[in-house]
Amino acid sequence: MMGEALLSASTAFQPRVSIEQVEEGTDLAPRFDVRGLLTVVTTDAESGDVMMVGVMNAEALARTIETREAHYWSRSRQCLWRKGATSGLIQHVIEMRIDDDQDAVWLRVRTAGTGANCHVGYRSCFYRRVDLPADEVISASAAELVFCEAHKTFDPLVVYGDVPNPTQL
């Protein structure tokens, strides 16, 4: 069944027949990498802040278009997932763009609930920055992270319970 869904999703898009079609045409003809994935950058529709970066396979892209709710491919779990299926923090797609050679997608979303997008509990998955002091040279091994978000918007233990953490070491 899963293979059938992937097959039908991948054939839902136009075949890539020319550079002109891909770069200047109106056909959606995405180029998935050798693993069958394309990169997705997800931003908040109002603020423009980057919420997360993920990947989609053909089925995730097709389901996102059909439902207008963000679906991704989880590389850590090796399965399709609808953002917010467990947490309720569903990403409602306001706009979807594709880049010039159709191998990357940009989603502008409104996130339900607290508006958080990160499984750690923060609003954005980019809740820390690399400290780059202007007046000193530092090595990569000495780089430190600084928190950009002062607090979490939800407690992951309460929301996810015993669902395995997707972060891999």
Side-chain angles (χ1 to χ4, degrees), residues 87-148:
S87 65
L89 303 169
I90 296 165
Q91 292 177 339
H92 299 280
V93 178
I94 304 306
E95 182 179 38
M96 175 188 285
R97 294 189 186 190
I98 194 157
D99 75 334
D100 53 0
D101 61 349
Q102 298 196 37
D103 67 354
V105 170
W106 171 19
L107 296 179
R108 292 181 57 243
V109 303
R110 283 195 190 103
T111 306
T114 64
N117 291 273
C118 180
H119 76 276
V120 178
Y122 293 98
R123 180 175 165 270
S124 167
C125 292
F126 295 89
Y127 54 89
R128 296 171 292 181
R129 65 177 169 80
V130 177
D131 192 22
L132 301 171
D135 58 344
E136 65 182 271
V137 176
I138 59 169
S139 67
S141 63
E144 293 186 3
L145 299 177
V146 177
F147 281 80
C148 303

